[in-house]
Amino acid sequence: MPPDVRNEVKKPKKKKVLLMGKSGSGKSSMRSIIFSATIDIDLSHVKFLGNLTLNLWDCGGQEAFTENYLTQQRVHVFSNVGVLIYVFDIESRDVERDMATYVSIISAMVQYSPTAKVYVLIHKMDLITMHAREAVFVDRVRLVQQKTAEFTQASGFNSELDLIPFATSIWDQSLYKAWASIIHDLVPNLSVIESQLGSLGTIIEAEEILLFERTSFLVVSSWTSEEGLGNPTGDRQERMSNILKHFKQSISRFTGTPRNAEQFILMEHKAGPRFSMFVCKFTTNTYLMVVLPPGEARFNSARFNCQIARESFKFLDGPTPGQGQSGRA
Amino acid sequence: MDSRLRGQDVPVEHDSNEPWAQGGESSLTPAQLNLTRLFEQDQQRQQKNMPAKAAEQAPDGTAKGKPRLLLMGQRRSGKSSISSVVFHKLPPSETLFLESTARIQKDELPSFMDFQVWDFPGQIDIFENPTFDIDAMFGEIGALIWVIDAQDDYLEAVARLNVTILNLQRTYPNIKIEVFIHKVDGLSDDYKLDIQRDITIRIQDELSDNGFENAPVTFHLTSIYNHSIFEAFSKVIQKLIPRLGILEAMLTNLCRTCRFEKAYLFDVTSKIYIATDSAPADMTSYEICSDYIDVIIDVTEVYGSWPRSEKHREGLEGSPWNQKLEDQVASNWAESCMVLSDGNKPIILREVNKYLALVAIMKEDSYDKMPLVNINVEVVVQGLEEFFDITKPK
């Protein structure tokens, strides 16, 4: 591996992630589910994968606050933004007004951080009946895009503002899909992680490998074998995040330990002659899930190989003071 | 049917190459013979108690020899919600949208004992209505579950229940009456117990006034928003299992041999446990085991339910393994294990048959003993198979 890539990791990246939306749109409950912390804890810095600190700004949605962000604190809030996550409540009664607020936020952001990515989460989708969800979502996204386009044309902002829309609900895996995608763009050295997962997967004859972040259980990176691509379940990554996160909470109820503490070390499942899988603690900040073809010997050797591979993924945990030094000595 | 813990069924030869299946009738062990004898005695005794009628019953043919559960209660008391949540995996929050039941709904469940849940519309009074064939309805049921809405005025419900019990006691004294004091979520613990005491007294007074001293009436506090409804069903169903004591003794034995903290035998579809060891059962250990089954079902649904290509299979069976996939696995049944961070405590899961799974919580730091534990579990699973083979309704 080229040494300069590793050095780049050592620099902690401070990216500001703005989480905005009208009051009551579900920002805080969303955040507390993903990062499993209690509501009252100030989460402005979320540690994610050791070297990546998400500078998460959960901006209160009450109108008085929004006023304030847009005027006195405009520079302070909207400069140096890496990602803006804007949450819309699908059940909102005053869509016109929501859009107006949204446009003024976008205008402030474009002014101070023109390169920031914008994610639009259409939230509380569970409140819409199943068969109407797709249509309602497409409709709302079109409206947001239209408003954004109107704004960019009027203000003479030259490059296209790229919106990435997601339909979300805290009651299913959709939330994990959106957040995994947001996180994906922020993780440094993604290509290195991906290629290493690939070589590990090939060696152990795996069908699929998922790398989870320890507390949020968001998928950081994944690798799927050619055969594994045949799996018809398209949303399996976020489903696994959701399943494991839920189970983590069940365990915390059983053990009586805090919700965000580490809950399990290993889970293995051998489904007879269908498949085997295991989820194990990998590096300090990650869990590894490996799906394998059946076979006792294959399973055991894969477990050992993953333990050995741990060493090559140590860089995921980033430098902690002292540790990096002793490693080099 | 496909196994939910293993994914699609791959044809597995289950013939006589398994040691315990050898021989058949001729080489029964003393334990097997004993169980057979006890079970037959039970059957005979039951037939004596249920005079004449018992033999000719089986009103619709399908129910023959299978325990039936009857769910009754006032309208809007939560009967349909209960059966949807327990037997059809409906999320509790969705039950708000269930319509009122207008006619008797019969539910055949793909479960190990073929429980039948008859969902009675609350507004029908069966004893007043001559069009109901009381005999067909109650002739074969094992337990009558009466649902009372604890958040409502329950006096009328209790009165109706009393009428029902009195009617049933005369003709079918063997039917177990299980009262679910339902919707107790949100009530304080003191208040719950007050209600339970009040209802118990009202029913027992009425019964003893009519000369029934020890009627088989049991009370459960339930809610669909937590595991209490499953717990209550488990207790009801355990009463319907012939020779439950032997099952329990097997599990207790396993716990002692392997130093398990707790072992449950689950019906996978409903996540009702049909037996457990003699250690006191607590809600939290039941919950973790039942949630673990859910995790395994969910993961299996994603990775175990699609066919891999033939070419891929050939690759896996080729060098360096040079073995058929079926021979590469240690067990044809689903085997699972997880280790908690808290004290390195393992929890294991083992599929017993199409419907049942054994889940056990092990002692701290005992993951290293897994191979030995697996062998012991294997033996117990074989024993369970034999048990169900002997006691299955004929």
Side-chain angles (χ1 to χ4, degrees):
Chain A
M1 182 185 309
D4 51 335
V5 180
R6 289 238 170 148
N7 281 338
E8 198 195 80
V9 183
K10 306 278 183 199
K11 276 186 263 149
K13 298 213 161 171
K14 289 274 177 190
K15 288 190 179 180
K16 201 193 275 179
V17 179
L18 287 187
L19 179 58
M20 296 189 125
K22 219 181 65 171
S23 139
S25 57
K27 301 179 294 298
S28 302
S29 61
M30 182 190 279
R31 184 201 60 185
S32 76
I33 285 177
I34 295 289
F35 299 102
S36 47
T38 39
I39 303 276
D40 48 58
I41 287 176
D42 175 33
L43 257 181
S44 68
H45 290 268
V46 180
K47 264 250 180 164
F48 193 85
L49 283 184
N51 55 16
L52 175 71
T53 310
L54 289 187
N55 215 338
L56 186 69
W57 287 48
D58 186 349
C59 304
Q62 276 111 6
E63 264 169 57
F65 288 136
T66 319
E67 248 342 282
N68 197 13
Y69 299 144
L70 289 170
T71 52
Q72 281 124 321
Q73 299 193 1
R74 195 173 174 105
V75 187
H76 178 59
V77 172
F78 290 98
S79 58
N80 197 26
V81 174
V83 172
L84 168 71
I85 305 165
Y86 200 90
V87 184
F88 283 102
D89 179 352
I90 191 69
E91 282 254 293
S92 169
R93 275 143 210 254
D94 196 351
V95 179
E96 267 314 304
R97 189 141 178 198
D98 287 359
M99 291 300 159
T101 321
Y102 163 74
V103 167
S104 49
I105 298 271
I106 285 287
S107 73
M109 201 208 64
V110 163
Q111 189 181 355
Y112 292 100
S113 312
T115 52
K117 283 203 163 189
V118 181
Y119 289 87
V120 172
L121 307 191
I122 313 289
H123 198 45
K124 305 195 190 172
M125 287 303 282
D126 51 291
L127 296 174
I128 309 294
T129 48
M130 204 49 139
H131 57 273
R133 270 178 211 174
E134 184 65 29
V136 170
F137 171 65
V138 169
D139 209 49
R140 191 57 60 91
V141 168
R142 195 175 300 133
L143 183 63
V144 176
Q145 273 164 341
Q146 184 203 330
K147 290 284 171 194
T148 318
E150 277 169 18
F151 159 74
T152 45
Q153 272 162 19
S155 69
F157 184 63
N158 41 18
S159 61
E160 263 306 286
L161 196 59
D162 206 11
L163 298 181
I164 306 162
F166 283 101
T168 55
S169 152
I170 56 168
W171 302 107
D172 60 28
Q173 63 268 19
S174 59
L175 195 59
Y176 290 91
K177 181 179 179 173
W179 277 88
S181 153
I182 293 166
I183 291 305
H184 196 86
D185 290 340
L186 297 173
V187 174
N189 289 348
L190 211 56
S191 57
V192 180
I193 303 175
E194 264 161 20
S195 79
Q196 291 200 29
L197 278 187
S199 11
L200 176 64
T202 318
I203 292 169
I204 60 177
E205 292 192 307
E207 199 175 281
E208 182 148 85
I209 300 186
L210 303 180
L211 185 71
F212 296 103
E213 197 272 333
R214 178 179 71 113
T215 37
S216 61
F217 269 99
L218 289 172
V219 175
V220 177
S221 180
S222 68
W223 173 85
T224 311
S225 77
E226 218 172 291
E227 183 68 18
L229 290 173
N231 191 331
T233 314
D235 59 352
R236 54 188 186 278
Q237 295 194 358
E238 49 268 25
R239 264 166 86 156
M240 288 305 128
S241 294
N242 196 13
I243 293 167
L244 291 172
K245 188 70 171 286
H246 256 275
F247 190 48
K248 196 182 147 195
Q249 275 164 30
S250 309
I251 304 174
S252 105
R253 277 198 298 275
F254 174 66
T255 59
T257 46
R259 224 149 58 94
N260 51 356
E262 176 193 298
Q263 296 296 353
F264 68 94
I265 301 166
L266 171 74
M267 178 191 299
E268 49 182 55
H269 177 47
K270 296 169 199 161
R274 293 302 300 182
F275 75 100
S276 347
M277 71 81 123
F278 63 86
V279 184
C280 64
K281 268 207 75 180
F282 197 48
T283 66
T284 316
N285 290 301
T286 55
Y287 278 89
L288 191 71
M289 169 168 163
V290 179
V291 182
L292 293 158
E296 195 73 8
R298 185 177 288 115
F299 184 90
N300 290 333
S301 53
R303 287 265 341 253
F304 275 118
N305 277 312
C306 287
Q307 245 164 50
I308 297 165
R310 222 165 260 183
E311 213 43 53
S312 326
F313 283 90
K314 273 271 162 68
F315 69 94
L316 282 174
D317 298 331
T320 41
Q323 209 177 39
Q325 294 300 318
S326 63
R328 235 170 277 166
Chain B
M1 204 193 85
D2 295 343
S3 156
R4 309 191 58 197
L5 299 173
R6 233 178 329 130
Q8 265 165 282
D9 273 348
V10 170
V12 177
E13 285 104 60
H14 263 293
D15 310 327
S16 48
N17 55 359
E18 277 151 84
W20 52 273
Q22 276 168 8
E25 293 286 313
S26 57
S27 62
L28 283 175
T29 62
Q32 284 171 325
L33 282 171
N34 194 26
L35 178 58
T36 316
R37 185 176 53 79
L38 283 171
F39 180 69
E40 275 161 10
Q41 277 176 6
D42 263 11
Q43 297 289 82
Q44 283 162 8
R45 199 175 311 139
Q46 265 174 24
Q47 270 171 16
K48 244 179 266 165
N49 287 349
M50 299 268 278
K53 274 185 213 145
E56 71 201 48
Q57 266 158 24
D60 47 36
T62 54
K64 196 157 195 253
K66 291 166 187 167
R68 182 191 296 165
L69 293 184
L70 212 50
L71 211 51
M72 291 176 82
Q74 300 285 89
R75 56 191 301 273
R76 306 310 288 167
S77 60
K79 301 176 295 299
S80 303
S81 301
I82 291 178
S83 65
S84 314
V85 169
V86 175
F87 298 103
H88 300 286
K89 292 281 145 311
L90 190 77
S93 50
E94 307 263 313
T95 55
L96 279 175
F97 307 115
L98 284 178
E99 299 277 329
S100 202
T101 312
R103 54 193 184 83
I104 298 176
Q105 281 186 355
K106 224 176 115 186
D107 234 348
E108 293 268 359
L109 297 157
S111 166
F112 90 111
M113 277 182 101
D114 279 311
F115 305 119
Q116 297 189 5
V117 175
W118 285 42
D119 201 348
F120 266 86
Q123 55 272 39
I124 297 177
D125 189 344
I126 42 163
F127 293 105
E128 307 267 296
N129 194 329
T131 55
F132 279 98
D133 183 353
I134 303 284
D135 212 40
M137 222 177 296
F138 295 103
E140 274 218 344
I141 67 170
L144 170 71
I145 296 172
W146 189 280
V147 185
I148 292 178
D149 182 351
Q151 294 192 15
D152 200 8
D153 178 22
Y154 52 75
L155 288 182
E156 201 195 327
V158 171
R160 287 269 301 263
L161 171 58
N162 273 329
V163 174
T164 313
I165 298 179
L166 291 175
N167 271 312
L168 286 181
Q169 276 292 305
R170 297 201 178 96
T171 358
Y172 308 100
N174 279 346
I175 294 177
K176 304 199 166 48
I177 316 274
E178 309 285 340
V179 182
F180 283 14
I181 301 169
H182 194 51
K183 307 192 194 175
V184 293
D185 49 286
L187 302 184
S188 75
D189 283 350
D190 284 349
Y191 190 57
K192 276 186 225 173
L193 292 177
D194 279 350
I195 290 185
Q196 181 173 6
R197 200 172 305 129
D198 187 43
I199 293 178
T200 313
I201 290 172
R202 279 171 197 280
I203 289 170
Q204 264 155 11
D205 282 358
E206 181 76 19
L207 283 175
S208 54
D209 285 353
N210 285 278
F212 298 105
E213 279 303 336
N214 290 313
V217 186
T218 321
F219 300 88
H220 310 263
L221 291 166
T222 59
S223 159
I224 50 169
Y225 291 95
N226 55 38
H227 288 78
S228 61
I229 189 70
F230 294 94
E231 180 89 20
F233 261 103
S234 296
K235 292 202 171 116
V236 170
I237 268 145
Q238 286 177 19
K239 289 186 189 165
L240 303 182
I241 294 174
R243 313 299 322 168
L244 178 72
I246 292 182
L247 266 188
E248 287 178 340
M250 274 158 110
L251 294 179
T252 309
N253 226 331
L254 176 69
C255 285
R256 206 177 48 223
T257 321
C258 298
R259 307 239 170 126
F260 289 169
E261 283 186 2
K262 192 81 196 141
Y264 291 98
L265 188 61
F266 273 95
D267 178 45
V268 174
T269 320
S270 57
K271 284 195 273 97
I272 287 169
Y273 69 89
I274 64 161
T276 179
D277 65 298
S278 61
D282 63 318
M283 205 68 148
T284 54
S285 67
Y286 166 75
E287 281 176 12
I288 189 80
C289 292
S290 113
D291 287 343
Y292 188 36
I293 293 183
D294 266 343
V295 170
I296 299 300
I297 290 177
D298 290 346
V299 171
T300 307
E301 199 180 300
V302 172
Y303 290 103
S305 54
W306 61 285
R308 271 62 166 182
S309 69
E310 219 27 67
K311 192 168 137 265
H312 178 65
R313 190 188 170 93
E314 274 160 30
L316 293 171
E317 290 176 346
S319 175
W321 311 97
N322 297 320
Q323 240 183 343
K324 286 201 116 350
L325 272 188
E326 281 74 18
D327 298 326
Q328 291 184 28
V329 298
S331 167
N332 277 318
W333 298 100
E335 266 183 337
S336 184
C337 166
M338 65 161 309
V339 184
L340 302 180
S341 301
D342 185 49
N344 292 336
K345 210 181 258 187
I347 299 178
I348 60 159
L349 178 148
R350 168 70 154 79
E351 193 179 14
V352 173
N353 59 32
K354 233 154 64 172
Y355 305 124
L356 297 176
L358 182 72
V359 187
I361 301 173
M362 292 167 60
K363 267 241 153 36
E364 281 92 350
D365 294 313
S366 52
Y367 180 73
D368 293 343
K369 303 214 170 72
M370 277 306 290
L372 199 59
V373 166
N374 276 334
I375 295 173
N376 279 314
V377 169
E378 184 67 37
V379 173
V380 170
V381 166
Q382 285 166 17
L384 293 172
E385 291 265 16
E386 285 170 26
F387 175 90
F388 289 114
D389 197 44
I390 292 171
T391 58
K392 83 171 167 243
K394 285 164 189 120

